Amino acid sequence: MSMLKRKRIGDLLVESGLINDQQLRYALEEKSTDEKLGDFLIKEEFLTEQQLIKVLEIQLGIPYVHLNQFTIDLELVQLVPKELAKRHQIMPYRREKNRLFVAMADPMDFFAIEELRMATGCQIEPSITTKEELYRTITKYFDLNDSVEAAMSNFNVNDLAKDTDITDEDSPMVHLVNQIIAAGVAQRASDIHLDPHETEVKVRYRVDGILRTERTLPKHMQSVVTARIKIMGNLNITENRVPQDGRINSVINFNQVDIRVSTLPTIYGEKVVMRLLDLNSTLNDISQLGFTKSNLEKFKKMIKQPNGMVLITGPTGSGKSSTLYAALTELNSDDVNIITVEDPVEYQVKGINQIQVNEDVGLTFASGLRSILRQDPDIVMIGEIRDLETAQISIRASLTGHLVVSTLHTNSAMESIARLNDMGVEPFLVSSSVIGVVAQRLVRRICTSCTEQHPPTDREKELFLARGLTVEFIQRGKGCPVCDNTGYRGRMAIHEVLLVDEQIKQFILQRASVSETRAYLRKNDMKMLLDDGLQKVKEGLTTTEEVFRVATLD
């Protein structure tokens, strides 16, 4: 039956013109015995998962379902054994009398269907959906719901929390916190928020920059869940009146995930935010950051200078850290000494000496930077320039033969210069030290699985013409299971890159206004944030709505 099944899928794909006979023969010879043909073809990039789904849907009449459009009854979830659902990646979503409708990544896995029929006593009606949506839904309904139910049944409103509730690895509360984190990883969340309210605690996930509520927990579980997270992050569980910061190292589905934990006292208890840093997905290649060809050349020119200061600016969560680490990775070699001072150290990079700021013992950005300069560095990275003292030492370091890379919180590249002046740095020091500034924002990418062409609106045509661009079509995501019906999947950066030339130095010395500097840059064809964003809209990578969410008309 197994060979018949493989042959059948292979024949369907050849008949549909997605692969040829040679590719099919190669796949059947090279794949391992327990690997599905479709999975192998997708891995080898002979076809996409969406193409495979479409063939099965059209040729075999197997319906394609969007699981996120269903409110799945918990009775259905209890009907299917958890171990079976996870082993075969099967998710029940509807029941009509004796017919059980299930979503599968491989609806031709007859052994799995037969095993499910025997376990449930129902006639199985298979449907097809994407692996990622299955994984996300199974994690949510089987793991997270089970953990919440177990925690609620084991911990009543009048109970006092015991030490074992938060320390024993087999405790329901410990399982619950693990599943909240695992569900965040499954959804590609960058942050998990536990928001306390008067009568409940909301669990919210930030996915591709947008925050959404996943579920609510009863209020009486708040203190135990918070205590467990504090234990994991080595925080003081008896202190709930002041903010605390910690770190958790965890392995979720064989991926190492580094988690930064922050607690903040509010009127309804401590709010906890966990930032998920997937150590396997760190952007180490600056060519993957979304720079246009000309901007990438400018940026490389900046960071290859032997001395001077390079600033990366933007608000919190605009991807500055990724750009900083990618720049350091580009510069990292055996013949240079790179030292960083960070708060906190987000990613640990091999071959780079990283220092964690610790203000409790007097190790600030400024004091750390002073010590660094006695360590014979070639390149210095300062996590953030927050005050005059740090700015002055950074500039002094850049003027004495070091390349200094740092971040500032400003809205545009030009405003970074004004920010340093506002801090109290003399214009002559700024003009002689700063060699370039990169301003960036993150916009959501259009989902490639459901992208559609649309004619631009009149307003969009006007905007493009005003920036010297013309556009025939605009791409938009229709919404599909891959992108959770948002039309977007993943994020990319838009940039403006300012190389400080002699004229800009004169503007800095004369304390010229931002508008005067901007006029000169526009005359010299510098692409502002909005220009870069609209260029990426034209290329079909994002939408005008996304660009205007993060950039304004200047």
Side-chain angles (χ1 to χ4, degrees), residues 444-474:
R444 289 183 291 171
R445 280 181 182 270
I446 296 168
C447 173
T448 53
S449 298
C450 61
T451 181
E452 292 182 333
Q453 277 192 346
H454 293 270
T457 64
D458 292 340
R459 175 68 177 138
E460 282 174 329
K461 285 178 187 172
E462 282 173 31
L463 287 166
F464 276 89
L465 279 172
R467 312 301 286 201
L469 293 167
T470 55
V471 64
E472 290 181 33
F473 293 101
I474 298 281

PDB file of all heavy atoms in Angstrom, residues 444-474:
ATOM      1  N   ARG A 444       5.709  44.418   7.627  1.00  0.00           N
ATOM      2  CA  ARG A 444       5.353  43.019   7.389  1.00  0.00           C
ATOM      3  C   ARG A 444       5.465  42.686   5.898  1.00  0.00           C
ATOM      4  O   ARG A 444       5.100  43.494   5.045  1.00  0.00           O
ATOM      5  CB  ARG A 444       3.936  42.740   7.886  1.00  0.00           C
ATOM      6  CG  ARG A 444       3.823  42.743   9.396  1.00  0.00           C
ATOM      7  CD  ARG A 444       2.421  42.394   9.858  1.00  0.00           C
ATOM      8  NE  ARG A 444       1.458  43.445   9.551  1.00  0.00           N
ATOM      9  CZ  ARG A 444       0.145  43.317   9.703  1.00  0.00           C
ATOM     10  NH1 ARG A 444      -0.361  42.175  10.137  1.00  0.00           N
ATOM     11  NH2 ARG A 444      -0.657  44.322   9.414  1.00  0.00           N
ATOM     12  N   ARG A 445       5.980  41.476   5.627  1.00  0.00           N
ATOM     13  CA  ARG A 445       6.068  40.999   4.240  1.00  0.00           C
ATOM     14  C   ARG A 445       4.724  40.429   3.802  1.00  0.00           C
ATOM     15  O   ARG A 445       4.017  39.792   4.599  1.00  0.00           O
ATOM     16  CB  ARG A 445       7.089  39.859   4.136  1.00  0.00           C
ATOM     17  CG  ARG A 445       8.535  40.264   4.082  1.00  0.00           C
ATOM     18  CD  ARG A 445       9.378  38.997   3.968  1.00  0.00           C
ATOM     19  NE  ARG A 445      10.792  39.292   3.961  1.00  0.00           N
ATOM     20  CZ  ARG A 445      11.499  39.533   2.864  1.00  0.00           C
ATOM     21  NH1 ARG A 445      10.903  39.521   1.685  1.00  0.00           N
ATOM     22  NH2 ARG A 445      12.791  39.788   2.933  1.00  0.00           N
ATOM     23  N   ILE A 446       4.407  40.593   2.524  1.00  0.00           N
ATOM     24  CA  ILE A 446       3.208  39.958   1.973  1.00  0.00           C
ATOM     25  C   ILE A 446       3.421  38.446   1.963  1.00  0.00           C
ATOM     26  O   ILE A 446       4.500  37.960   1.612  1.00  0.00           O
ATOM     27  CB  ILE A 446       2.936  40.466   0.540  1.00  0.00           C
ATOM     28  CG1 ILE A 446       2.614  41.963   0.555  1.00  0.00           C
ATOM     29  CG2 ILE A 446       1.799  39.699  -0.109  1.00  0.00           C
ATOM     30  CD1 ILE A 446       2.616  42.612  -0.807  1.00  0.00           C
ATOM     31  N   CYS A 447       2.401  37.700   2.358  1.00  0.00           N
ATOM     32  CA  CYS A 447       2.478  36.236   2.352  1.00  0.00           C
ATOM     33  C   CYS A 447       2.599  35.741   0.910  1.00  0.00           C
ATOM     34  O   CYS A 447       1.741  36.064   0.072  1.00  0.00           O
ATOM     35  CB  CYS A 447       1.223  35.651   3.005  1.00  0.00           C
ATOM     36  SG  CYS A 447       1.117  33.863   2.876  1.00  0.00           S
ATOM     37  N   THR A 448       3.637  34.990   0.615  1.00  0.00           N
ATOM     38  CA  THR A 448       3.861  34.530  -0.768  1.00  0.00           C
ATOM     39  C   THR A 448       2.861  33.456  -1.190  1.00  0.00           C
ATOM     40  O   THR A 448       2.702  33.192  -2.383  1.00  0.00           O
ATOM     41  CB  THR A 448       5.302  33.969  -0.919  1.00  0.00           C
ATOM     42  OG1 THR A 448       5.519  32.985   0.098  1.00  0.00           O
ATOM     43  CG2 THR A 448       6.337  35.070  -0.781  1.00  0.00           C
ATOM     44  N   SER A 449       2.175  32.852  -0.224  1.00  0.00           N
ATOM     45  CA  SER A 449       1.235  31.772  -0.562  1.00  0.00           C
ATOM     46  C   SER A 449      -0.109  32.297  -1.050  1.00  0.00           C
ATOM     47  O   SER A 449      -0.868  31.556  -1.669  1.00  0.00           O
ATOM     48  CB  SER A 449       1.014  30.868   0.654  1.00  0.00           C
ATOM     49  OG  SER A 449       2.218  30.263   1.031  1.00  0.00           O
ATOM     50  N   CYS A 450      -0.440  33.549  -0.733  1.00  0.00           N
ATOM     51  CA  CYS A 450      -1.772  34.046  -1.127  1.00  0.00           C
ATOM     52  C   CYS A 450      -1.711  35.440  -1.738  1.00  0.00           C
ATOM     53  O   CYS A 450      -2.679  36.193  -1.686  1.00  0.00           O
ATOM     54  CB  CYS A 450      -2.726  34.026   0.075  1.00  0.00           C
ATOM     55  SG  CYS A 450      -2.198  35.074   1.461  1.00  0.00           S
ATOM     56  N   THR A 451      -0.544  35.804  -2.304  1.00  0.00           N
ATOM     57  CA  THR A 451      -0.409  37.141  -2.878  1.00  0.00           C
ATOM     58  C   THR A 451      -1.267  37.289  -4.136  1.00  0.00           C
ATOM     59  O   THR A 451      -1.411  36.342  -4.918  1.00  0.00           O
ATOM     60  CB  THR A 451       1.075  37.448  -3.181  1.00  0.00           C
ATOM     61  OG1 THR A 451       1.186  38.738  -3.720  1.00  0.00           O
ATOM     62  CG2 THR A 451       1.679  36.441  -4.143  1.00  0.00           C
ATOM     63  N   GLU A 452      -1.878  38.458  -4.287  1.00  0.00           N
ATOM     64  CA  GLU A 452      -2.725  38.757  -5.450  1.00  0.00           C
ATOM     65  C   GLU A 452      -2.354  40.129  -6.002  1.00  0.00           C
ATOM     66  O   GLU A 452      -1.936  41.010  -5.249  1.00  0.00           O
ATOM     67  CB  GLU A 452      -4.204  38.801  -5.044  1.00  0.00           C
ATOM     68  CG  GLU A 452      -4.793  37.476  -4.645  1.00  0.00           C
ATOM     69  CD  GLU A 452      -6.273  37.595  -4.304  1.00  0.00           C
ATOM     70  OE1 GLU A 452      -6.702  38.695  -3.875  1.00  0.00           O
ATOM     71  OE2 GLU A 452      -6.990  36.613  -4.463  1.00  0.00           O
ATOM     72  N   GLN A 453      -2.523  40.303  -7.315  1.00  0.00           N
ATOM     73  CA  GLN A 453      -2.270  41.602  -7.938  1.00  0.00           C
ATOM     74  C   GLN A 453      -3.524  42.455  -7.908  1.00  0.00           C
ATOM     75  O   GLN A 453      -4.625  41.963  -8.135  1.00  0.00           O
ATOM     76  CB  GLN A 453      -1.835  41.423  -9.389  1.00  0.00           C
ATOM     77  CG  GLN A 453      -0.359  41.126  -9.563  1.00  0.00           C
ATOM     78  CD  GLN A 453       0.080  41.250 -11.014  1.00  0.00           C
ATOM     79  OE1 GLN A 453      -0.747  41.302 -11.918  1.00  0.00           O
ATOM     80  NE2 GLN A 453       1.382  41.297 -11.234  1.00  0.00           N
ATOM     81  N   HIS A 454      -3.344  43.744  -7.603  1.00  0.00           N
ATOM     82  CA  HIS A 454      -4.458  44.695  -7.618  1.00  0.00           C
ATOM     83  C   HIS A 454      -3.995  45.959  -8.322  1.00  0.00           C
ATOM     84  O   HIS A 454      -2.826  46.341  -8.212  1.00  0.00           O
ATOM     85  CB  HIS A 454      -4.872  45.072  -6.185  1.00  0.00           C
ATOM     86  CG  HIS A 454      -5.469  43.938  -5.410  1.00  0.00           C
ATOM     87  ND1 HIS A 454      -6.817  43.669  -5.399  1.00  0.00           N
ATOM     88  CD2 HIS A 454      -4.890  42.982  -4.636  1.00  0.00           C
ATOM     89  CE1 HIS A 454      -7.044  42.606  -4.639  1.00  0.00           C
ATOM     90  NE2 HIS A 454      -5.883  42.171  -4.170  1.00  0.00           N
ATOM     91  N   PRO A 455      -4.903  46.646  -9.017  1.00  0.00           N
ATOM     92  CA  PRO A 455      -4.513  47.954  -9.558  1.00  0.00           C
ATOM     93  C   PRO A 455      -4.350  48.949  -8.406  1.00  0.00           C
ATOM     94  O   PRO A 455      -5.090  48.870  -7.419  1.00  0.00           O
ATOM     95  CB  PRO A 455      -5.697  48.337 -10.467  1.00  0.00           C
ATOM     96  CG  PRO A 455      -6.842  47.504  -9.992  1.00  0.00           C
ATOM     97  CD  PRO A 455      -6.263  46.265  -9.392  1.00  0.00           C
ATOM     98  N   PRO A 456      -3.394  49.875  -8.485  1.00  0.00           N
ATOM     99  CA  PRO A 456      -3.223  50.840  -7.391  1.00  0.00           C
ATOM    100  C   PRO A 456      -4.405  51.813  -7.335  1.00  0.00           C
ATOM    101  O   PRO A 456      -5.022  52.106  -8.368  1.00  0.00           O
ATOM    102  CB  PRO A 456      -1.923  51.568  -7.762  1.00  0.00           C
ATOM    103  CG  PRO A 456      -1.790  51.396  -9.236  1.00  0.00           C
ATOM    104  CD  PRO A 456      -2.438  50.088  -9.574  1.00  0.00           C
ATOM    105  N   THR A 457      -4.727  52.284  -6.137  1.00  0.00           N
ATOM    106  CA  THR A 457      -5.773  53.295  -6.001  1.00  0.00           C
ATOM    107  C   THR A 457      -5.241  54.633  -6.515  1.00  0.00           C
ATOM    108  O   THR A 457      -4.025  54.806  -6.696  1.00  0.00           O
ATOM    109  CB  THR A 457      -6.187  53.445  -4.523  1.00  0.00           C
ATOM    110  OG1 THR A 457      -5.041  53.925  -3.792  1.00  0.00           O
ATOM    111  CG2 THR A 457      -6.655  52.125  -3.933  1.00  0.00           C
ATOM    112  N   ASP A 458      -6.141  55.594  -6.740  1.00  0.00           N
ATOM    113  CA  ASP A 458      -5.710  56.926  -7.209  1.00  0.00           C
ATOM    114  C   ASP A 458      -4.755  57.558  -6.205  1.00  0.00           C
ATOM    115  O   ASP A 458      -3.781  58.210  -6.590  1.00  0.00           O
ATOM    116  CB  ASP A 458      -6.927  57.836  -7.423  1.00  0.00           C
ATOM    117  CG  ASP A 458      -7.771  57.363  -8.601  1.00  0.00           C
ATOM    118  OD1 ASP A 458      -7.231  56.602  -9.445  1.00  0.00           O
ATOM    119  OD2 ASP A 458      -8.961  57.728  -8.676  1.00  0.00           O
ATOM    120  N   ARG A 459      -5.053  57.388  -4.915  1.00  0.00           N
ATOM    121  CA  ARG A 459      -4.187  57.948  -3.867  1.00  0.00           C
ATOM    122  C   ARG A 459      -2.793  57.330  -3.930  1.00  0.00           C
ATOM    123  O   ARG A 459      -1.792  58.033  -3.797  1.00  0.00           O
ATOM    124  CB  ARG A 459      -4.827  57.677  -2.493  1.00  0.00           C
ATOM    125  CG  ARG A 459      -3.998  58.095  -1.285  1.00  0.00           C
ATOM    126  CD  ARG A 459      -3.869  59.582  -1.185  1.00  0.00           C
ATOM    127  NE  ARG A 459      -3.128  59.990   0.005  1.00  0.00           N
ATOM    128  CZ  ARG A 459      -2.229  60.944   0.019  1.00  0.00           C
ATOM    129  NH1 ARG A 459      -1.938  61.614  -1.079  1.00  0.00           N
ATOM    130  NH2 ARG A 459      -1.599  61.268   1.130  1.00  0.00           N
ATOM    131  N   GLU A 460      -2.730  56.006  -4.165  1.00  0.00           N
ATOM    132  CA  GLU A 460      -1.429  55.341  -4.270  1.00  0.00           C
ATOM    133  C   GLU A 460      -0.653  55.839  -5.486  1.00  0.00           C
ATOM    134  O   GLU A 460       0.558  56.078  -5.409  1.00  0.00           O
ATOM    135  CB  GLU A 460      -1.620  53.817  -4.334  1.00  0.00           C
ATOM    136  CG  GLU A 460      -1.915  53.199  -2.969  1.00  0.00           C
ATOM    137  CD  GLU A 460      -2.254  51.730  -3.035  1.00  0.00           C
ATOM    138  OE1 GLU A 460      -2.831  51.283  -4.036  1.00  0.00           O
ATOM    139  OE2 GLU A 460      -1.954  51.008  -2.056  1.00  0.00           O
ATOM    140  N   LYS A 461      -1.366  56.030  -6.609  1.00  0.00           N
ATOM    141  CA  LYS A 461      -0.698  56.550  -7.810  1.00  0.00           C
ATOM    142  C   LYS A 461      -0.082  57.923  -7.522  1.00  0.00           C
ATOM    143  O   LYS A 461       1.053  58.205  -7.923  1.00  0.00           O
ATOM    144  CB  LYS A 461      -1.696  56.663  -8.973  1.00  0.00           C
ATOM    145  CG  LYS A 461      -2.056  55.327  -9.590  1.00  0.00           C
ATOM    146  CD  LYS A 461      -3.079  55.538 -10.688  1.00  0.00           C
ATOM    147  CE  LYS A 461      -3.596  54.216 -11.224  1.00  0.00           C
ATOM    148  NZ  LYS A 461      -4.723  54.391 -12.160  1.00  0.00           N
ATOM    149  N   GLU A 462      -0.850  58.776  -6.836  1.00  0.00           N
ATOM    150  CA  GLU A 462      -0.349  60.121  -6.481  1.00  0.00           C
ATOM    151  C   GLU A 462       0.910  60.027  -5.628  1.00  0.00           C
ATOM    152  O   GLU A 462       1.886  60.740  -5.847  1.00  0.00           O
ATOM    153  CB  GLU A 462      -1.416  60.894  -5.693  1.00  0.00           C
ATOM    154  CG  GLU A 462      -2.537  61.469  -6.535  1.00  0.00           C
ATOM    155  CD  GLU A 462      -3.630  62.058  -5.643  1.00  0.00           C
ATOM    156  OE1 GLU A 462      -3.320  62.552  -4.540  1.00  0.00           O
ATOM    157  OE2 GLU A 462      -4.804  61.998  -6.039  1.00  0.00           O
ATOM    158  N   LEU A 463       0.868  59.152  -4.614  1.00  0.00           N
ATOM    159  CA  LEU A 463       2.005  59.005  -3.698  1.00  0.00           C
ATOM    160  C   LEU A 463       3.262  58.546  -4.443  1.00  0.00           C
ATOM    161  O   LEU A 463       4.353  59.057  -4.224  1.00  0.00           O
ATOM    162  CB  LEU A 463       1.685  57.988  -2.597  1.00  0.00           C
ATOM    163  CG  LEU A 463       0.697  58.443  -1.532  1.00  0.00           C
ATOM    164  CD1 LEU A 463       0.210  57.267  -0.710  1.00  0.00           C
ATOM    165  CD2 LEU A 463       1.357  59.478  -0.615  1.00  0.00           C
ATOM    166  N   PHE A 464       3.094  57.578  -5.329  1.00  0.00           N
ATOM    167  CA  PHE A 464       4.246  57.078  -6.075  1.00  0.00           C
ATOM    168  C   PHE A 464       4.804  58.151  -7.003  1.00  0.00           C
ATOM    169  O   PHE A 464       6.018  58.329  -7.107  1.00  0.00           O
ATOM    170  CB  PHE A 464       3.863  55.816  -6.868  1.00  0.00           C
ATOM    171  CG  PHE A 464       3.940  54.557  -6.065  1.00  0.00           C
ATOM    172  CD1 PHE A 464       2.858  54.096  -5.331  1.00  0.00           C
ATOM    173  CD2 PHE A 464       5.108  53.822  -6.031  1.00  0.00           C
ATOM    174  CE1 PHE A 464       2.939  52.936  -4.579  1.00  0.00           C
ATOM    175  CE2 PHE A 464       5.206  52.656  -5.272  1.00  0.00           C
ATOM    176  CZ  PHE A 464       4.119  52.211  -4.554  1.00  0.00           C
ATOM    177  N   LEU A 465       3.892  58.883  -7.690  1.00  0.00           N
ATOM    178  CA  LEU A 465       4.348  59.942  -8.592  1.00  0.00           C
ATOM    179  C   LEU A 465       5.098  61.031  -7.832  1.00  0.00           C
ATOM    180  O   LEU A 465       6.110  61.548  -8.297  1.00  0.00           O
ATOM    181  CB  LEU A 465       3.153  60.548  -9.338  1.00  0.00           C
ATOM    182  CG  LEU A 465       2.658  59.757 -10.554  1.00  0.00           C
ATOM    183  CD1 LEU A 465       1.363  60.346 -11.100  1.00  0.00           C
ATOM    184  CD2 LEU A 465       3.728  59.739 -11.664  1.00  0.00           C
ATOM    185  N   ALA A 466       4.585  61.366  -6.624  1.00  0.00           N
ATOM    186  CA  ALA A 466       5.226  62.406  -5.807  1.00  0.00           C
ATOM    187  C   ALA A 466       6.651  62.025  -5.428  1.00  0.00           C
ATOM    188  O   ALA A 466       7.495  62.897  -5.189  1.00  0.00           O
ATOM    189  CB  ALA A 466       4.403  62.676  -4.554  1.00  0.00           C
ATOM    190  N   ARG A 467       6.935  60.720  -5.354  1.00  0.00           N
ATOM    191  CA  ARG A 467       8.290  60.264  -5.005  1.00  0.00           C
ATOM    192  C   ARG A 467       9.065  59.832  -6.249  1.00  0.00           C
ATOM    193  O   ARG A 467      10.087  59.144  -6.149  1.00  0.00           O
ATOM    194  CB  ARG A 467       8.242  59.094  -4.022  1.00  0.00           C
ATOM    195  CG  ARG A 467       7.338  59.244  -2.835  1.00  0.00           C
ATOM    196  CD  ARG A 467       7.657  60.420  -1.964  1.00  0.00           C
ATOM    197  NE  ARG A 467       8.837  60.262  -1.152  1.00  0.00           N
ATOM    198  CZ  ARG A 467       9.068  60.980  -0.044  1.00  0.00           C
ATOM    199  NH1 ARG A 467       8.182  61.881   0.359  1.00  0.00           N
ATOM    200  NH2 ARG A 467      10.180  60.816   0.631  1.00  0.00           N
ATOM    201  N   GLY A 468       8.567  60.187  -7.434  1.00  0.00           N
ATOM    202  CA  GLY A 468       9.290  59.872  -8.673  1.00  0.00           C
ATOM    203  C   GLY A 468       9.195  58.426  -9.091  1.00  0.00           C
ATOM    204  O   GLY A 468      10.069  57.917  -9.806  1.00  0.00           O
ATOM    205  N   LEU A 469       8.142  57.729  -8.658  1.00  0.00           N
ATOM    206  CA  LEU A 469       7.976  56.318  -9.019  1.00  0.00           C
ATOM    207  C   LEU A 469       6.657  56.127  -9.755  1.00  0.00           C
ATOM    208  O   LEU A 469       5.692  56.872  -9.539  1.00  0.00           O
ATOM    209  CB  LEU A 469       7.955  55.435  -7.759  1.00  0.00           C
ATOM    210  CG  LEU A 469       9.245  55.331  -6.933  1.00  0.00           C
ATOM    211  CD1 LEU A 469       8.941  54.707  -5.586  1.00  0.00           C
ATOM    212  CD2 LEU A 469      10.291  54.506  -7.653  1.00  0.00           C
ATOM    213  N   THR A 470       6.612  55.147 -10.607  1.00  0.00           N
ATOM    214  CA  THR A 470       5.341  54.768 -11.241  1.00  0.00           C
ATOM    215  C   THR A 470       5.081  53.305 -10.906  1.00  0.00           C
ATOM    216  O   THR A 470       6.022  52.524 -10.737  1.00  0.00           O
ATOM    217  CB  THR A 470       5.400  54.918 -12.773  1.00  0.00           C
ATOM    218  OG1 THR A 470       6.512  54.170 -13.260  1.00  0.00           O
ATOM    219  CG2 THR A 470       5.523  56.374 -13.185  1.00  0.00           C
ATOM    220  N   VAL A 471       3.822  52.952 -10.823  1.00  0.00           N
ATOM    221  CA  VAL A 471       3.486  51.570 -10.466  1.00  0.00           C
ATOM    222  C   VAL A 471       2.244  51.136 -11.229  1.00  0.00           C
ATOM    223  O   VAL A 471       1.288  51.892 -11.370  1.00  0.00           O
ATOM    224  CB  VAL A 471       3.280  51.446  -8.929  1.00  0.00           C
ATOM    225  CG1 VAL A 471       2.093  52.260  -8.445  1.00  0.00           C
ATOM    226  CG2 VAL A 471       3.142  50.000  -8.507  1.00  0.00           C
ATOM    227  N   GLU A 472       2.312  49.911 -11.780  1.00  0.00           N
ATOM    228  CA  GLU A 472       1.171  49.380 -12.538  1.00  0.00           C
ATOM    229  C   GLU A 472       0.274  48.516 -11.663  1.00  0.00           C
ATOM    230  O   GLU A 472      -0.943  48.549 -11.782  1.00  0.00           O
ATOM    231  CB  GLU A 472       1.680  48.552 -13.723  1.00  0.00           C
ATOM    232  CG  GLU A 472       2.341  49.386 -14.808  1.00  0.00           C
ATOM    233  CD  GLU A 472       2.790  48.501 -15.969  1.00  0.00           C
ATOM    234  OE1 GLU A 472       2.109  47.493 -16.238  1.00  0.00           O
ATOM    235  OE2 GLU A 472       3.820  48.830 -16.576  1.00  0.00           O
ATOM    236  N   PHE A 473       0.918  47.706 -10.812  1.00  0.00           N
ATOM    237  CA  PHE A 473       0.153  46.807  -9.947  1.00  0.00           C
ATOM    238  C   PHE A 473       0.681  46.866  -8.523  1.00  0.00           C
ATOM    239  O   PHE A 473       1.865  47.100  -8.305  1.00  0.00           O
ATOM    240  CB  PHE A 473       0.226  45.358 -10.449  1.00  0.00           C
ATOM    241  CG  PHE A 473      -0.458  45.126 -11.751  1.00  0.00           C
ATOM    242  CD1 PHE A 473       0.271  45.038 -12.930  1.00  0.00           C
ATOM    243  CD2 PHE A 473      -1.841  45.025 -11.804  1.00  0.00           C
ATOM    244  CE1 PHE A 473      -0.367  44.829 -14.144  1.00  0.00           C
ATOM    245  CE2 PHE A 473      -2.486  44.824 -13.008  1.00  0.00           C
ATOM    246  CZ  PHE A 473      -1.755  44.736 -14.185  1.00  0.00           C
ATOM    247  N   ILE A 474      -0.215  46.648  -7.574  1.00  0.00           N
ATOM    248  CA  ILE A 474       0.153  46.532  -6.158  1.00  0.00           C
ATOM    249  C   ILE A 474      -0.168  45.099  -5.737  1.00  0.00           C
ATOM    250  O   ILE A 474      -1.219  44.565  -6.082  1.00  0.00           O
ATOM    251  CB  ILE A 474      -0.692  47.517  -5.290  1.00  0.00           C
ATOM    252  CG1 ILE A 474      -0.414  48.961  -5.687  1.00  0.00           C
ATOM    253  CG2 ILE A 474      -0.434  47.297  -3.817  1.00  0.00           C
ATOM    254  CD1 ILE A 474       0.844  49.554  -5.158  1.00  0.00           C
TER     255      ILE A 474
END
